[in-house]
């Protein structure tokens, strides 16, 4: 029977460790503070921002909330970021994506000081990751590494296959697995024989954005399968990029959706905030 990797439990464990750390920082006179900026009122973004603020509250991180109207200009947003960059009492700055179409996401993200880039999306953070220098790491792939480590799944020397090459998941995921001494293959929409490549994996990380596309026929017996995808199926139930029911019997370990990778993203955001505060 496959090990069900419990992201809910592991993320709670991380949040509880951070809560203790934040309390001792507070006792020593340092209050960690995250500024959260949302432009417009996209309902999904409002839910994500609400969850991030709730996590801050739980851990004891102060959160400053900037709820800006859709009509905010790019210059106005850049001005707010500049002030937050200069404010020593603010340790992390998070701009909830997507931004309205009249703004350049790249320009906005790159305006955040790399020292406060707790999402790990700044071009300098990405560059630092790729050459092994210190910097913030994108939260979802960092969460996957924690899921593997805290489930005692060894990465070193393993065949790791990442399906997806996005800037926020697939690419940083592949670099992190490489940093842990995995042998890494990255697949994408032009990969030939995707099934054959996936079947080589000891650790298969799937981030393609296609509901239940990966089934048991892509999985080697005993492999660890990490499903990053989040979707609603035809019955409105949450599901991932992997067909859990098909894969679970052949895999050695697998993340469920929900309750796998999802809760780890916020836990790692909180981790990055605490690191930003400690570095300041
Ligand atoms: P993107 O759409 O940015 O990237 C998808 C990647 O999958 C692309 O590299 C694409 O290839 C590849 N791909 C698409 N179709 C296929 C295919 N048929 N065969 C092989 N590769 C394919 O998605 P994200 O990386 O942002 O997200 C992936 C999934 O993870 C989504 O379901 C998203 O909702 C979820 N997600 C979950 C998070 C969490 O907290 N749990 C956080 C972020 C994302 P190409 O580059 O060639 O187009």
């Amino acid at each position: 029977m496959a090990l069900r990797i419990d992201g809910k439990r592991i993320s709670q464990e991380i949040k509880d460790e951070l809560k203790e750390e934040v309390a001792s920082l507070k006792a020593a006179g340092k209050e960690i503070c995250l500024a959260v900026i949302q432009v417009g009122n996209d309902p999904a973004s409002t839910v994500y921002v609400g969850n991030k603020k709730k996590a801050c509250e739980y851990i004891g991180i102060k959160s400053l909330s900037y709820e800006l109207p859709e009509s905010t200009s790019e210059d106005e947003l850049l001005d707010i970021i500049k002030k937050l960059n200069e404010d020593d009492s603010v340790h992390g700055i998070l701009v909830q994506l997507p931004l309205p179409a009249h703004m350049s996401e790249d320009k906005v993200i790159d305006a955040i000081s790399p020292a406060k880039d707790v999402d790990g999306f700044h071009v300098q953070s990405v560059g630092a990751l790729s050459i092994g220098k210190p910097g913030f790491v994108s939260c979802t792939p960092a969460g996957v590494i924690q899921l593997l480590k805290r489930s005692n799944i060894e990465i070193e020397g393993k065949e790791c296959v990442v399906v997806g090459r996005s800037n926020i998941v697939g690419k940083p995921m592949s670099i992190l697995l490489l940093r842990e001494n995995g042998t890494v293959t990255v697949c994408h929409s032009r990969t030939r024989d995707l099934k054959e490549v996936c079947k080589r994996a000891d650790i298969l990380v799937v981030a393609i954005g296609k509901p239940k596309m990966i089934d048991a026929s892509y999985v080697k017996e005993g492999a660890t399968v990490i499903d990053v995808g989040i979707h609603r199926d035809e019955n409105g139930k949450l599901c991932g990029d992997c067909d859990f029911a098909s894969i679970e019997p052949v895999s050695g370990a697998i993340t469920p959706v929900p309750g796998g990778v999802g809760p780890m993203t916020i836990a790692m955001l909180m981790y990055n905030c605490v690191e930003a505060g400690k570095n300041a």
Side-chain angles (χ1 to χ4, degrees), residues 19-34:
K19 192 174 179 169
E20 264 185 42
E21 206 172 352
V22 165
S24 43
L25 286 166
K26 214 177 244 173
K30 183 173 247 177
E31 183 173 42
I32 310 281
C33 174
L34 170 69

Side-chain angles (χ1 to χ4, degrees), residues 140 164-166 169 188-189 207-210 213 228-231 262 265:
T140 302
R165 56 174 166 180
S166 71
V169 187
H188 44 78
S189 64
I208 47 182
K210 300 264 156 73
M213 187 185 126
V228 181
I230 314 177
H231 313 274
T265 301

Side-chain angles (χ1 to χ4, degrees), residues 67-223:
E67 285 155 21
L68 309 176
E70 181 95 15
S71 58
T72 306
S73 72
E74 189 179 88
D75 282 344
E76 284 170 305
L77 177 59
L78 292 174
D79 199 44
I80 291 171
I81 293 173
K82 186 167 179 283
K83 289 196 177 103
L84 292 169
N85 281 341
E86 288 163 359
D87 184 342
D88 290 341
S89 69
V90 172
H91 305 105
I93 302 171
L94 182 144
V95 178
Q96 183 64 45
L97 301 179
L99 287 170
H102 64 276
M103 292 186 182
S104 154
E105 286 187 354
D106 285 349
K107 198 168 168 189
V108 169
I109 297 304
D110 288 339
I112 298 171
S113 158
K116 300 187 180 188
D117 172 39
V118 286
D119 255 338
F121 295 164
H122 192 287
V123 71
Q124 188 173 313
S125 307
V126 177
L129 172 66
S130 66
I131 58 169
K133 291 261 159 55
F136 291 112
V137 177
S138 177
C139 302
T140 302
V144 170
I145 296 292
Q146 285 302 313
L147 283 178
L148 293 169
K149 287 191 168 173
R150 289 174 187 247
S151 304
N152 297 316
I153 294 166
E154 182 136 306
I155 303 169
E156 181 158 328
K158 296 282 179 65
E159 286 285 344
C160 303
V161 174
V162 179
V163 193
R165 56 174 166 180
S166 71
N167 288 338
I168 62 164
V169 187
K171 277 187 204 141
M173 188 73 252
S174 63
I175 298 169
L176 286 175
L177 289 165
L178 194 58
R179 193 163 88 175
E180 297 295 332
N181 299 316
T183 301
V184 182
T185 306
V186 185
C187 302
H188 44 78
S189 64
R190 315 284 173 87
T191 297
R192 269 187 238 147
D193 298 330
L194 180 67
K195 213 173 252 194
E196 289 316 305
V197 181
C198 290
K199 279 195 106 147
R200 294 206 300 259
D202 300 310
I203 298 173
L204 178 63
V205 182
V206 185
I208 47 182
K210 300 264 156 73
K212 298 189 191 177
M213 187 185 126
I214 302 297
D215 63 17
S217 65
Y218 290 76
V219 178
K220 178 169 83 176
E221 178 108 36

Side-chain angles (χ1 to χ4, degrees), residues 214-241:
I214 302 297
D215 63 17
S217 65
Y218 290 76
V219 178
K220 178 169 83 176
E221 178 108 36
T224 294
V225 180
I226 305 287
D227 187 354
V228 181
I230 314 177
H231 313 274
R232 292 227 174 248
D233 70 9
E234 56 287 355
N235 305 315
K237 266 184 71 185
L238 285 173
C239 71
D241 289 342

